Amino acid sequence: MSDVKKTLEYFEQANFPAVCQVCNARVHGICGALKMPELVHLGRYTKQRHLRKGEVIAFDEDDVIEYANIVSGVVKLTKILADGRQQIVGVQFAPEFVGRPFSDAVKITAEAATDIEICVFPKKALESMLDEAPDFERRLFGQTLVQLDEAREWMVTLGRKTASEKVASFLLLLTRHVAKPIAGSNAVHFELPFTRADMADFLGLTIETVSRQMTKLRKARIIEIENSHHITIPRIAALEGASEIET
Amino acid sequence: MSDVKKTLEYFEQANFPAVCQVCNARVHGICGALKMPELVHLGRYTKQRHLRKGEVIAFDEDDVIEYANIVSGVVKLTKILADGRQQIVGVQFAPEFVGRPFSDAVKITAEAATDIEICVFPKKALESMLDEAPDFERRLFGQTLVQLDEAREWMVTLGRKTASEKVASFLLLLTRHVAKPIAGSNAVHFELPFTRADMADFLGLTIETVSRQMTKLRKARIIEIENSHHITIPRIAALEGASEIET
DNA sequence: CGCTTCGTTGAAACACGTCAATAAGCGTGG
DNA sequence: CCACGCTTATTGACGTGTTTCAACGAAGCG
């Protein structure tokens, strides 16, 4: 059976939760591991939410720790030191899962970097799925391993790269997630979902240094800046060269 | 039944693999999730190895990707940039699991920071356990989540702390894992399982800066250095103060 | 003993941070 | 539509924490 036909049949099954029909997590996210009765069950406890840029995903609302799937938009994970110094420790895109299973002691904040749509469900609903559907746990485990890979790769960036390489690495990361190709060339373009302050917090720099490195990359013709949030990468290879890829 | 009696009964069961009897992973590690037949099965594919300080845990020996449990000693995980810059992205102690399930594409090196004993088993043995024993997968998932927490906490250290705070944070980390209390005081003491170069690679600093910050902490009476690898922490609270704990 | 590796310390260089001024974008209200 | 205030981004001048370069001492080992 062709992929197209499979997809058609798939969407013709009208009895699974309406919100899941347009949700990417249903296909590529953790919910893809769920069979119909499980999905319906989880759907009963699920609420959709829209959050504006800057709003925090509250995990302890109504005294119930909650989890979420990102339906659209970008989420940033931040940690803060006692004196206010801040570090972004992760960035997540649709259809990734947000939350820390099995522990509510981890001090981390999940905040909407753009306007976002999320699908929230209570702690208990997730943990019963975990026990009942082995594939579900496997997918969540897989996502966690990828996040660990990403965190470790970013540790190299934070610990050993120069300011210029850091900014280039960050733009390269975004290129992989939110860039759109430009017809008739091998250039790509994207809208930066972050402020300079966000970038600084992710890179362990100040906003001034980020700004200076951006103009440095622009003057070196490695990036083009239409305005501060619209970036074009004419040659990805050049950006990779400026990022000092690991061996 | 008392814990002691339980433990006695446990060790009287003579038919599980001899090496497991003294292995901490059998109790607190991932193997603790295995029942007798599974343990015997895994034991058949298991080999114990001694590695000297500096040796690399090879995961592709005999064309078979392998995994390992740490029986004793300390392991460091490192990543290297094309021009040789190096970053340690993780430190592991007994009885932790070493390896990256489900992928052999992650560029990371596991190296013995001290002389170590490990228990290695092939990819297939692990993955069949994963499919057959849900508790086993759950424990591995749990360890991965803890590693992710640790990695993110370390990102804050790398991105936002000063050299002095970095060194203090590192010593505090070791205090939690390898320190022994000193009788008749609330001081603790430990043998540093790392060279200054290792510390520098973990902290994103140079060896000279690490050395300078160590003497600075010594002069501030926050640490005592018997010789370069034997450290005493007279008051842990003072070290925590120098580490800038997160909120 | 020499040789090598490892750690410490000093002086100078520099990358990044800090402080400050200015401009650009954007919603609000007159 | 422009004026106003506010936030965000850019750029410059200057300061400083960390690196770089170098010398030296201590410890391990044939």
Side-chain angles (χ1 to χ4, degrees), chain A residues 53 76 113 170 192-200 207 210 229:
Chain A
K53 177 176 173 167
K76 59 182 183 183
F170 183 70
L192 244 187
F194 299 101
T195 64
R196 295 290 185 270
D198 286 331
M199 292 176 67
I207 56 175
V210 171
H229 287 245

Side-chain angles (χ1 to χ4, degrees), chain B residues 174-183 185-191 231-233 236:
Chain B
L174 292 176
T175 298
R176 299 210 181 93
H177 280 100
V178 296
K180 292 173 172 52
I182 293 178
S185 75
N186 52 5
V188 301
H189 174 275
F190 58 89
E191 185 180 344
I231 310 289
T232 300
I233 314 293
I236 291 181

Side-chain angles (χ1 to χ4, degrees), chain B residues 48-226:
Chain B
Q48 266 208 318
R49 292 246 184 86
H50 287 254
L51 267 65
R52 308 288 278 283
K53 177 175 173 169
E55 287 189 282
V56 170
I57 304 179
F59 287 116
D60 51 3
E61 200 164 289
D62 306 310
D63 286 329
V64 181
I65 306 294
E66 303 204 31
Y67 299 105
N69 275 325
I70 306 174
V71 177
S72 70
V74 182
V75 170
K76 59 183 182 182
L77 308 177
T78 70
K79 287 173 93 67
I80 307 184
L81 294 176
D83 63 358
R85 279 175 285 177
Q86 187 168 332
Q87 176 71 41
I88 295 180
V89 297
V91 176
Q92 297 193 275
F93 305 87
E96 288 178 62
F97 170 85
V98 183
R100 168 59 163 94
F102 311 129
S103 169
D104 48 9
V106 179
K107 296 166 202 149
I108 197 163
T109 305
E111 184 182 331
T114 63
D115 290 1
I116 61 172
E117 291 175 276
I118 54 175
C119 186
V120 294
F121 38 91
K123 183 186 176 72
K124 280 190 179 172
L126 180 102
E127 292 183 351
S128 71
M129 281 301 122
L130 238 34
D131 290 330
E132 285 162 31
D135 289 355
F136 188 77
E137 175 162 3
R138 180 64 56 91
R139 287 212 188 191
L140 208 49
F141 187 15
Q143 282 198 19
T144 303
L145 284 163
V146 170
Q147 288 182 354
L148 183 58
D149 295 339
E150 290 169 347
R152 285 174 170 166
E153 197 177 325
W154 206 252
M155 287 171 75
V156 181
T157 301
L158 285 171
R160 288 302 183 202
K161 291 189 186 175
T162 65
S164 177
E165 290 165 347
K166 283 180 178 180
V167 171
S169 301
F170 183 70
L171 295 175
L172 193 60
L173 174 75
L174 292 176
T175 298
R176 299 210 181 93
H177 280 100
V178 296
K180 292 173 172 52
I182 293 178
S185 75
N186 52 5
V188 301
H189 174 275
F190 58 89
E191 185 180 344
L192 245 188
F194 298 102
T195 65
R196 295 290 186 268
D198 286 331
M199 293 176 67
D201 282 343
F202 199 47
L203 297 165
L205 300 171
T206 59
I207 57 174
E208 294 93 332
T209 302
V210 171
S211 184
R212 275 185 257 268
Q213 301 306 327
M214 288 289 282
T215 71
K216 191 176 154 190
L217 288 171
R218 176 172 55 76
K219 285 179 180 168
R221 313 259 174 202
I222 294 172
I223 65 173
E224 292 162 14
I225 308 179
E226 277 89 81

